[in-house]
Amino acid sequence: DTITYTGGKDSFTGGEGNDTFVVGAKGTTVDSVYLTIQDLTKGDTINVAGITDVASTVSPLGAKVTVGEGATFSQALDAAAAANTGAAAAVLKWFQFENNTYLVVDNSNNTTYTNGTDSVIKITGLVDLSTSTATTATDIITIA
């Protein structure tokens, strides 16, 4: 299946087999207006080319960003977005919060998450993205 996100607060379920989630609009934290992927599994892909300013420089995604106990969602987003200071390309980071996984596309060189520039994608459940890869030429993340 290929499913395309065009904005708003939306939730996708790909079902069985390898699915491609095409993200064509930036998610924001305002009223949780972002894509939620309900059933991301090994072999699925997330195409973030439509929301990156320049091709990603990260392959594989690597270790999750961790935050201290008691951190808020906003603080976790800021920690994930802090990695791109001065970079000319989008940086992909991920973290887990309240039993869900979040992928952040950090397009800005700000030290905090910036709505309208950066983007967030929610993945239901605790999914390990540490060995997933991001192809720099196409900005397609393959779940390993």
Coordinates of all heavy atoms in Angstrom, one line a residue, residues 35-140:
L35 N 0.7 13.5 11.5 CA 0.4 12.1 11.1 C 0.7 11.1 12.2 O 1.8 11.2 12.8 CB 1.2 11.7 9.8 CG 1.2 10.3 9.4 CD1 -0.3 9.8 9.0 CD2 2.1 10.0 8.2
T36 N -0.2 10.2 12.4 CA 0.0 9.1 13.3 C 0.0 7.8 12.4 O -1.0 7.6 11.7 CB -1.0 9.0 14.4 OG1 -1.0 10.1 15.2 CG2 -0.8 7.7 15.3
I37 N 1.1 7.0 12.5 CA 1.1 5.7 11.8 C 0.8 4.7 12.8 O 1.5 4.5 13.8 CB 2.5 5.5 11.1 CG1 2.8 6.6 10.1 CG2 2.5 4.1 10.4 CD1 4.1 6.6 9.5
Q38 N -0.3 3.9 12.6 CA -0.8 3.0 13.6 C 0.0 1.6 13.6 O 0.1 1.0 14.7 CB -2.3 2.7 13.3 CG -3.2 3.8 13.5 CD -3.4 4.2 15.0 OE1 -3.1 3.4 15.9 NE2 -3.8 5.4 15.2
D39 N 0.6 1.2 12.5 CA 1.1 -0.2 12.4 C 2.4 -0.2 11.6 O 2.6 -1.1 10.8 CB 0.0 -1.1 11.8 CG -0.3 -0.7 10.3 OD1 0.0 0.4 9.9 OD2 -0.8 -1.6 9.6
L40 N 3.3 0.6 12.0 CA 4.6 0.6 11.3 C 5.4 -0.7 11.7 O 5.6 -1.0 12.9 CB 5.4 1.8 11.7 CG 6.7 2.1 10.9 CD1 6.3 2.5 9.5 CD2 7.5 3.2 11.5
T41 N 5.9 -1.4 10.7 CA 6.6 -2.6 10.9 C 7.8 -2.7 9.9 O 7.9 -2.0 9.0 CB 5.7 -3.9 10.7 OG1 5.2 -3.9 9.4 CG2 4.6 -3.9 11.7
K42 N 8.7 -3.7 10.2 CA 9.9 -4.0 9.4 C 9.5 -4.1 7.9 O 8.5 -4.8 7.6 CB 10.5 -5.2 9.9 CG 11.8 -5.6 9.1 CD 12.4 -6.8 9.7 CE 13.7 -7.1 8.9 NZ 14.4 -8.3 9.4
G43 N 10.2 -3.4 7.1 CA 9.9 -3.4 5.6 C 9.1 -2.3 5.2 O 9.1 -2.0 4.0
D44 N 8.4 -1.6 6.1 CA 7.6 -0.4 5.7 C 8.6 0.7 5.4 O 9.8 0.7 5.9 CB 6.7 0.0 6.8 CG 5.5 -0.9 6.9 OD1 5.3 -1.8 6.1 OD2 4.8 -0.8 8.0
T45 N 8.2 1.7 4.7 CA 9.0 2.9 4.4 C 8.2 4.2 4.7 O 7.0 4.2 4.6 CB 9.5 3.0 2.9 OG1 8.4 3.0 2.1 CG2 10.4 1.8 2.6
I46 N 8.9 5.2 5.1 CA 8.3 6.5 5.3 C 9.1 7.5 4.3 O 10.3 7.6 4.5 CB 8.5 7.0 6.7 CG1 7.8 6.0 7.7 CG2 7.8 8.4 6.9 CD1 8.1 6.4 9.2
N47 N 8.4 8.1 3.4 CA 9.0 9.0 2.5 C 8.8 10.4 3.0 O 7.7 10.9 3.0 CB 8.4 8.9 1.1 CG 9.0 9.7 0.0 OD1 9.5 10.8 0.3 ND2 8.9 9.3 -1.2
V48 N 9.9 11.1 3.4 CA 9.8 12.4 4.0 C 10.3 13.5 3.1 O 10.5 14.6 3.5 CB 10.5 12.5 5.4 CG1 9.8 11.7 6.4 CG2 11.9 12.1 5.3
A49 N 10.5 13.2 1.8 CA 11.1 14.1 0.8 C 10.2 15.4 0.7 O 10.8 16.5 0.5 CB 11.2 13.5 -0.5
G50 N 8.9 15.3 0.9 CA 8.0 16.4 0.8 C 8.1 17.4 2.0 O 7.5 18.5 1.9
I51 N 8.8 17.0 3.0 CA 8.9 17.9 4.2 C 10.3 18.2 4.6 O 10.5 18.8 5.6 CB 8.1 17.3 5.4 CG1 8.6 15.9 5.8 CG2 6.6 17.2 5.1 CD1 8.0 15.4 7.1
T52 N 11.3 17.7 3.8 CA 12.7 18.1 4.1 C 13.1 19.2 3.3 O 12.7 19.3 2.1 CB 13.6 16.9 3.9 OG1 13.5 16.4 2.6 CG2 13.4 15.8 4.9
D53 N 13.8 20.2 3.8 CA 14.3 21.3 3.0 C 15.5 20.9 2.1 O 15.7 21.4 1.0 CB 14.8 22.4 4.0 CG 13.6 23.0 4.7 OD1 12.4 22.8 4.2 OD2 13.8 23.7 5.7
V54 N 16.3 20.0 2.6 CA 17.5 19.4 1.8 C 17.5 18.0 2.2 O 17.2 17.6 3.3 CB 18.8 20.2 2.2 CG1 19.9 19.6 1.4 CG2 18.6 21.6 2.0
A55 N 18.1 17.1 1.4 CA 18.2 15.7 1.7 C 18.8 15.4 3.0 O 19.7 16.1 3.5 CB 18.9 15.0 0.6
S56 N 18.3 14.4 3.7 CA 18.8 14.0 5.0 C 20.2 13.6 4.9 O 20.7 13.1 3.9 CB 17.9 12.8 5.4 OG 18.6 12.1 6.4
T57 N 20.9 13.8 6.0 CA 22.3 13.4 6.1 C 22.5 12.2 7.1 O 23.7 11.9 7.4 CB 23.2 14.6 6.6 OG1 22.7 15.0 7.9 CG2 23.1 15.8 5.7
V58 N 21.5 11.6 7.5 CA 21.6 10.6 8.6 C 21.2 9.2 8.0 O 20.1 9.0 7.5 CB 20.7 10.9 9.8 CG1 20.8 9.9 10.9 CG2 21.0 12.3 10.3
S59 N 22.2 8.3 8.1 CA 21.9 6.9 7.7 C 22.9 6.0 8.4 O 24.1 6.1 8.2 CB 22.1 6.8 6.2 OG 21.8 5.5 5.8
P60 N 22.5 5.1 9.3 CA 21.1 4.9 9.8 C 20.7 6.0 10.8 O 21.5 6.9 11.1 CB 21.2 3.5 10.5 CG 22.6 3.5 11.0 CD 23.4 4.2 10.0
L61 N 19.4 5.9 11.3 CA 18.9 6.9 12.2 C 19.7 6.9 13.5 O 19.8 7.9 14.2 CB 17.4 6.7 12.4 CG 16.5 6.9 11.2 CD1 15.1 6.7 11.6 CD2 16.7 8.2 10.6
G62 N 20.1 5.7 14.0 CA 20.9 5.7 15.2 C 20.1 5.7 16.5 O 18.9 5.5 16.4
A63 N 20.8 5.9 17.6 CA 20.1 5.8 18.9 C 19.1 6.8 19.1 O 19.1 7.9 18.5 CB 21.2 5.9 20.0
K64 N 18.1 6.5 19.9 CA 17.0 7.4 20.1 C 17.5 8.6 21.0 O 18.5 8.4 21.8 CB 15.8 6.7 20.8 CG 16.1 6.3 22.2 CD 14.8 5.6 22.8 CE 15.2 5.0 24.1 NZ 14.0 4.2 24.7
V65 N 16.8 9.7 20.9 CA 17.1 10.8 21.8 C 16.4 10.5 23.1 O 15.3 10.1 23.1 CB 16.5 12.1 21.1 CG1 16.7 13.3 22.1 CG2 17.3 12.4 19.8
T66 N 17.1 10.7 24.2 CA 16.5 10.4 25.5 C 16.4 11.7 26.3 O 17.2 12.6 26.1 CB 17.4 9.4 26.3 OG1 18.7 9.9 26.4 CG2 17.4 8.1 25.6
V67 N 15.4 11.8 27.1 CA 15.1 12.9 27.9 C 14.9 12.4 29.3 O 14.6 11.3 29.6 CB 13.9 13.7 27.5 CG1 14.2 14.4 26.1 CG2 12.7 12.9 27.4
G68 N 15.1 13.3 30.3 CA 15.0 13.0 31.7 C 13.6 12.6 32.1 O 12.6 13.0 31.4
E69 N 13.5 11.9 33.2 CA 12.2 11.5 33.7 C 11.4 12.7 34.1 O 11.9 13.7 34.6 CB 12.4 10.6 35.0 CG 11.1 10.1 35.5 CD 11.4 9.2 36.7 OE1 12.4 8.5 36.8 OE2 10.5 9.1 37.6
G70 N 10.1 12.7 33.7 CA 9.3 13.9 34.0 C 9.3 14.9 32.9 O 8.6 16.0 33.0
A71 N 10.1 14.7 31.8 CA 10.1 15.6 30.7 C 8.8 15.7 30.0 O 8.0 14.8 30.0 CB 11.2 15.2 29.7
T72 N 8.5 16.9 29.5 CA 7.2 17.1 28.7 C 7.4 16.7 27.3 O 8.6 16.6 26.8 CB 6.8 18.5 28.8 OG1 7.7 19.4 28.1 CG2 6.6 19.0 30.3
F73 N 6.3 16.6 26.5 CA 6.4 16.3 25.1 C 7.2 17.4 24.4 O 8.0 17.2 23.5 CB 5.0 16.2 24.5 CG 5.0 15.8 23.1 CD1 5.5 14.6 22.6 CD2 4.4 16.7 22.1 CE1 5.5 14.3 21.2 CE2 4.4 16.4 20.8 CZ 4.9 15.2 20.3
S74 N 6.9 18.6 24.8 CA 7.6 19.8 24.2 C 9.1 19.7 24.4 O 9.9 20.0 23.5 CB 7.0 21.1 24.7 OG 7.7 22.2 24.2
Q75 N 9.5 19.3 25.6 CA 10.9 19.2 25.9 C 11.6 18.1 25.1 O 12.7 18.2 24.7 CB 11.1 19.0 27.4 CG 10.8 20.2 28.3 CD 10.7 19.9 29.8 OE1 10.3 18.8 30.2 NE2 11.2 20.9 30.6
A76 N 10.9 17.0 24.9 CA 11.4 15.9 24.1 C 11.6 16.3 22.6 O 12.6 16.0 22.0 CB 10.4 14.7 24.2
L77 N 10.6 17.1 22.1 CA 10.7 17.6 20.7 C 11.9 18.5 20.6 O 12.7 18.5 19.7 CB 9.5 18.4 20.3 CG 8.3 17.6 19.9 CD1 7.0 18.5 19.8 CD2 8.5 16.9 18.6
D78 N 12.1 19.4 21.6 CA 13.3 20.3 21.6 C 14.6 19.6 21.6 O 15.5 19.9 20.9 CB 13.2 21.3 22.8 CG 12.1 22.3 22.6 OD1 11.6 22.5 21.5 OD2 11.8 23.0 23.6
A79 N 14.7 18.5 22.4 CA 15.9 17.7 22.5 C 16.2 17.1 21.2 O 17.3 17.0 20.7 CB 15.7 16.6 23.6
A80 N 15.2 16.6 20.5 CA 15.4 16.0 19.1 C 15.7 17.0 18.1 O 16.5 16.7 17.2 CB 14.1 15.2 18.7
A81 N 15.2 18.2 18.2 CA 15.5 19.3 17.2 C 16.8 20.0 17.5 O 17.3 20.7 16.6 CB 14.3 20.2 17.2
A82 N 17.4 19.8 18.7 CA 18.6 20.6 19.0 C 19.8 20.1 18.2 O 20.8 20.8 18.2 CB 18.9 20.4 20.5
A83 N 19.7 19.0 17.5 CA 20.9 18.4 16.8 C 21.3 19.1 15.5 O 22.3 18.8 15.0 CB 20.6 16.9 16.6
N84 N 20.4 19.9 15.0 CA 20.7 20.5 13.7 C 21.3 21.9 13.7 O 21.3 22.5 12.7 CB 19.4 20.5 12.9 CG 19.6 20.6 11.4 OD1 20.7 20.4 10.9 ND2 18.6 20.9 10.7
T85 N 21.8 22.3 14.7 CA 22.3 23.7 14.8 C 23.5 23.9 13.8 O 24.5 23.2 13.8 CB 22.9 24.1 16.2 OG1 23.8 23.1 16.6 CG2 21.7 24.1 17.2
G86 N 23.2 24.8 12.8 CA 24.3 25.1 11.8 C 24.3 24.2 10.6 O 25.0 24.5 9.7
A87 N 23.5 23.1 10.6 CA 23.5 22.2 9.5 C 22.7 22.7 8.3 O 21.8 23.4 8.5 CB 22.9 20.8 9.9
A88 N 23.2 22.4 7.1 CA 22.5 22.8 5.9 C 21.5 21.8 5.4 O 20.8 22.1 4.4 CB 23.6 23.1 4.8
A89 N 21.4 20.7 6.0 CA 20.5 19.6 5.6 C 19.6 19.3 6.7 O 19.9 19.5 7.9 CB 21.3 18.4 5.1
A90 N 18.5 18.6 6.4 CA 17.5 18.1 7.4 C 18.2 17.0 8.2 O 19.0 16.2 7.7 CB 16.3 17.6 6.7
V91 N 17.9 17.0 9.5 CA 18.4 15.9 10.4 C 17.2 15.2 10.9 O 16.2 15.7 11.3 CB 19.2 16.5 11.5 CG1 19.6 15.4 12.5 CG2 20.5 17.2 11.0
L92 N 17.3 13.8 10.8 CA 16.2 13.0 11.3 C 16.6 12.4 12.7 O 17.7 11.8 12.8 CB 16.0 11.8 10.3 CG 15.7 12.2 8.9 CD1 15.6 11.0 8.0 CD2 14.4 13.0 8.8
K93 N 15.7 12.6 13.6 CA 15.9 12.1 15.0 C 14.6 11.4 15.5 O 13.6 11.7 15.0 CB 16.4 13.2 16.0 CG 17.7 13.8 15.7 CD 18.8 12.8 16.0 CE 20.2 13.4 15.7 NZ 21.2 12.4 16.1
W94 N 14.8 10.6 16.5 CA 13.6 9.9 17.0 C 13.7 9.8 18.5 O 14.8 9.8 19.1 CB 13.3 8.6 16.4 CG 14.4 7.6 16.6 CD1 15.6 7.5 16.0 CD2 14.3 6.4 17.5 NE1 16.3 6.4 16.5 CE2 15.5 5.8 17.4 CE3 13.3 6.0 18.3 CZ2 15.8 4.6 18.1 CZ3 13.6 4.8 19.0 CH2 14.8 4.1 18.9
F95 N 12.5 9.7 19.2 CA 12.4 9.5 20.6 C 11.2 8.8 20.9 O 10.3 8.6 20.1 CB 12.5 10.9 21.3 CG 11.3 11.8 21.1 CD1 10.2 11.8 21.9 CD2 11.3 12.7 20.0 CE1 9.2 12.7 21.7 CE2 10.3 13.6 19.8 CZ 9.2 13.5 20.7
Q96 N 11.1 8.3 22.2 CA 9.9 7.6 22.7 C 9.3 8.4 23.8 O 10.1 8.9 24.7 CB 10.2 6.2 23.0 CG 10.6 5.4 21.8 CD 11.0 4.0 22.1 OE1 11.6 3.7 23.1 NE2 10.7 3.1 21.1
F97 N 8.0 8.6 23.8 CA 7.3 9.4 24.9 C 6.0 8.7 25.1 O 5.2 8.5 24.2 CB 7.2 10.8 24.4 CG 6.6 11.7 25.4 CD1 7.4 12.2 26.5 CD2 5.3 12.1 25.3 CE1 6.8 13.1 27.4 CE2 4.7 13.0 26.3 CZ 5.5 13.4 27.3
E98 N 5.7 8.5 26.4 CA 4.4 7.9 26.8 C 4.0 6.7 25.9 O 2.9 6.7 25.4 CB 3.3 9.0 26.8 CG 3.5 10.0 27.9 CD 2.4 11.1 28.0 OE1 1.6 11.2 27.1 OE2 2.5 11.8 29.0
N99 N 4.9 5.8 25.8 CA 4.7 4.5 25.1 C 4.4 4.6 23.6 O 3.8 3.7 23.0 CB 3.5 3.7 25.7 CG 3.9 3.3 27.1 OD1 5.1 2.8 27.4 ND2 3.0 3.4 28.1
N100 N 4.8 5.7 23.0 CA 4.8 5.9 21.5 C 6.1 6.4 21.0 O 7.0 6.9 21.8 CB 3.7 6.9 21.1 CG 2.3 6.3 21.4 OD1 1.9 5.3 20.8 ND2 1.6 6.9 22.3
T101 N 6.3 6.3 19.7 CA 7.6 6.7 19.1 C 7.3 7.9 18.2 O 6.3 7.9 17.6 CB 8.2 5.5 18.3 OG1 8.3 4.4 19.1 CG2 9.5 5.8 17.7
Y102 N 8.3 8.8 18.2 CA 8.1 10.0 17.4 C 9.3 10.2 16.5 O 10.5 10.1 17.0 CB 7.9 11.3 18.3 CG 6.6 11.2 19.1 CD1 6.5 10.5 20.3 CD2 5.5 11.8 18.6 CE1 5.3 10.4 21.0 CE2 4.3 11.7 19.2 CZ 4.2 11.0 20.5 OH 3.0 10.9 21.1
L103 N 9.1 10.5 15.2 CA 10.2 10.8 14.3 C 10.1 12.3 14.1 O 9.1 12.9 13.7 CB 9.9 10.1 13.0 CG 10.9 10.4 11.9 CD1 12.3 9.9 12.2 CD2 10.4 9.7 10.6
V104 N 11.2 13.0 14.2 CA 11.3 14.5 14.0 C 12.2 14.7 12.8 O 13.3 14.2 12.7 CB 11.9 15.2 15.3 CG1 12.2 16.6 15.0 CG2 11.0 15.0 16.5
V105 N 11.7 15.5 11.9 CA 12.4 16.1 10.8 C 12.8 17.5 11.1 O 12.0 18.4 11.2 CB 11.6 16.0 9.5 CG1 12.4 16.6 8.3 CG2 11.2 14.6 9.2
D106 N 14.1 17.7 11.5 CA 14.6 19.0 11.9 C 15.2 19.7 10.7 O 16.3 19.4 10.3 CB 15.6 18.7 13.0 CG 16.2 20.0 13.6 OD1 15.6 21.1 13.3 OD2 17.2 19.9 14.3
N107 N 14.4 20.7 10.2 CA 14.8 21.5 9.1 C 15.5 22.8 9.5 O 16.1 23.5 8.6 CB 13.6 21.8 8.2 CG 13.2 20.6 7.4 OD1 13.9 20.0 6.7 ND2 11.9 20.3 7.5
S108 N 15.4 23.2 10.7 CA 15.9 24.5 11.1 C 17.2 24.4 11.9 O 17.6 23.3 12.3 CB 14.9 25.2 12.0 OG 14.8 24.6 13.2
N109 N 17.9 25.5 12.0 CA 19.2 25.5 12.8 C 18.9 26.0 14.2 O 19.8 26.4 14.9 CB 20.3 26.2 12.1 CG 20.0 27.7 11.9 OD1 18.9 28.1 12.2 ND2 20.9 28.4 11.2
N110 N 17.6 26.0 14.6 CA 17.2 26.5 15.9 C 17.6 25.4 16.9 O 17.7 24.2 16.5 CB 15.7 26.8 16.0 CG 15.3 27.9 15.1 OD1 16.1 28.8 14.8 ND2 14.1 27.9 14.6
T111 N 17.7 25.7 18.2 CA 18.0 24.7 19.2 C 16.7 24.1 19.8 O 16.8 23.3 20.7 CB 18.9 25.3 20.3 OG1 18.2 26.5 20.8 CG2 20.3 25.7 19.8
T112 N 15.6 24.6 19.3 CA 14.3 24.0 19.7 C 13.5 23.7 18.5 O 13.7 24.1 17.4 CB 13.5 25.1 20.5 OG1 13.3 26.2 19.8 CG2 14.3 25.4 21.8
Y113 N 12.4 22.9 18.7 CA 11.5 22.5 17.7 C 10.8 23.7 17.2 O 10.2 24.5 18.0 CB 10.5 21.4 18.2 CG 9.5 20.9 17.2 CD1 9.8 19.9 16.4 CD2 8.3 21.6 17.0 CE1 8.9 19.4 15.4 CE2 7.4 21.1 16.1 CZ 7.7 20.1 15.3 OH 6.8 19.6 14.3
T114 N 10.7 23.9 15.9 CA 10.0 25.1 15.3 C 8.8 24.6 14.4 O 9.0 24.0 13.4 CB 11.0 25.8 14.4 OG1 12.2 26.1 15.2 CG2 10.4 27.1 13.9
N115 N 7.6 24.9 14.9 CA 6.4 24.6 14.1 C 6.4 25.3 12.8 O 6.9 26.5 12.7 CB 5.1 25.0 14.9 CG 4.7 23.9 15.8 OD1 4.6 22.8 15.5 ND2 4.3 24.3 17.1
G116 N 6.0 24.6 11.7 CA 6.0 25.2 10.4 C 7.3 25.0 9.7 O 7.3 25.1 8.4
T117 N 8.4 24.7 10.4 CA 9.7 24.5 9.7 C 10.1 23.0 10.0 O 10.4 22.3 9.0 CB 10.8 25.4 10.3 OG1 10.4 26.8 10.0 CG2 12.1 25.2 9.6
D118 N 10.1 22.6 11.2 CA 10.4 21.2 11.6 C 9.1 20.4 11.5 O 8.0 21.0 11.3 CB 10.9 21.1 13.0 CG 12.2 21.9 13.1 OD1 13.0 22.1 12.1 OD2 12.5 22.4 14.2
S119 N 9.2 19.1 11.6 CA 8.0 18.3 11.5 C 8.1 17.1 12.4 O 9.2 16.6 12.7 CB 7.7 17.8 10.1 OG 6.5 17.2 9.9
V120 N 6.9 16.6 12.9 CA 6.9 15.5 13.7 C 5.9 14.4 13.2 O 4.8 14.8 12.6 CB 6.5 15.8 15.2 CG1 5.1 16.5 15.3 CG2 6.6 14.6 16.1
I121 N 6.2 13.2 13.3 CA 5.4 12.0 12.9 C 5.3 11.1 14.1 O 6.3 10.7 14.7 CB 5.9 11.3 11.7 CG1 6.1 12.2 10.5 CG2 5.1 10.1 11.4 CD1 7.0 11.7 9.4
K122 N 4.1 10.7 14.5 CA 3.8 9.8 15.6 C 3.7 8.4 15.1 O 3.0 8.2 14.1 CB 2.6 10.2 16.4 CG 2.3 9.3 17.6 CD 1.0 9.7 18.3 CE 0.6 8.8 19.4 NZ -0.6 9.3 20.1
I123 N 4.4 7.5 15.8 CA 4.3 6.1 15.5 C 3.7 5.4 16.7 O 4.3 5.5 17.8 CB 5.6 5.5 15.1 CG1 6.2 6.2 13.9 CG2 5.5 4.0 14.8 CD1 7.7 6.0 13.6
T124 N 2.6 4.7 16.6 CA 1.9 4.1 17.7 C 2.8 3.0 18.2 O 3.3 2.1 17.5 CB 0.5 3.6 17.3 OG1 -0.3 4.7 16.9 CG2 -0.2 2.9 18.5
G125 N 3.0 3.0 19.5 CA 3.8 1.9 20.2 C 5.3 2.3 20.3 O 5.8 3.3 19.8
L126 N 6.0 1.4 20.9 CA 7.5 1.6 21.1 C 8.2 0.8 20.0 O 8.4 -0.4 20.0 CB 7.9 1.1 22.5 CG 7.3 1.8 23.6 CD1 7.7 1.1 25.0 CD2 7.6 3.3 23.6
V127 N 8.5 1.6 18.9 CA 9.2 1.0 17.7 C 10.6 1.4 17.8 O 10.9 2.6 17.9 CB 8.5 1.5 16.4 CG1 9.2 0.9 15.2 CG2 7.0 1.1 16.4
D128 N 11.5 0.4 17.6 CA 13.0 0.7 17.6 C 13.4 1.1 16.2 O 13.4 0.3 15.3 CB 13.8 -0.5 18.1 CG 15.2 -0.3 18.2 OD1 15.7 0.9 17.8 OD2 16.0 -1.2 18.6
L129 N 13.8 2.4 16.1 CA 14.2 2.9 14.8 C 15.7 3.0 14.6 O 16.2 3.5 13.6 CB 13.6 4.3 14.5 CG 12.1 4.4 14.5 CD1 11.7 5.9 14.3 CD2 11.5 3.6 13.4
S130 N 16.4 2.4 15.6 CA 17.9 2.6 15.6 C 18.6 2.0 14.4 O 19.7 2.5 14.0 CB 18.5 2.0 16.9 OG 18.3 0.7 17.0
T131 N 18.1 0.9 13.9 CA 18.8 0.3 12.7 C 18.1 0.7 11.4 O 18.5 0.2 10.3 CB 18.9 -1.2 12.9 OG1 17.5 -1.7 13.0 CG2 19.7 -1.6 14.1
S132 N 17.0 1.5 11.4 CA 16.3 1.9 10.2 C 17.2 2.9 9.5 O 18.0 3.6 10.1 CB 15.0 2.6 10.6 OG 14.2 1.7 11.2
T133 N 17.2 2.9 8.2 CA 18.1 3.7 7.4 C 17.3 4.8 6.6 O 16.1 4.6 6.3 CB 18.8 2.9 6.3 OG1 17.9 2.2 5.5 CG2 19.7 1.9 7.0
A134 N 18.0 5.9 6.4 CA 17.4 7.0 5.6 C 18.3 7.2 4.4 O 19.5 7.4 4.5 CB 17.4 8.3 6.4
T135 N 17.7 6.9 3.2 CA 18.5 7.1 2.0 C 18.6 8.6 1.7 O 17.6 9.3 1.5 CB 17.8 6.4 0.8 OG1 17.6 5.0 1.2 CG2 18.6 6.4 -0.5
T136 N 19.8 9.1 1.6 CA 20.0 10.5 1.5 C 19.5 11.1 0.1 O 19.1 12.2 0.1 CB 21.5 10.9 1.6 OG1 22.3 10.1 0.7 CG2 22.0 10.5 3.1
A137 N 19.6 10.4 -0.9 CA 19.2 10.9 -2.2 C 17.7 11.1 -2.3 O 17.2 11.9 -3.1 CB 19.7 10.0 -3.3
T138 N 16.9 10.3 -1.6 CA 15.5 10.3 -1.8 C 14.7 10.6 -0.5 O 13.5 10.8 -0.5 CB 15.0 8.9 -2.3 OG1 15.4 7.9 -1.3 CG2 15.5 8.6 -3.7
D139 N 15.4 10.6 0.6 CA 14.7 10.9 1.9 C 13.7 9.8 2.2 O 12.6 10.1 2.7 CB 14.1 12.3 2.0 CG 15.2 13.3 2.4 OD1 16.2 12.9 3.0 OD2 15.0 14.5 2.0
I140 N 14.0 8.6 1.9 CA 13.1 7.5 2.3 C 13.7 6.7 3.4 O 14.8 6.2 3.3 CB 12.8 6.6 1.0 CG1 12.1 7.4 0.0 CG2 12.1 5.3 1.4 CD1 11.9 6.6 -1.3

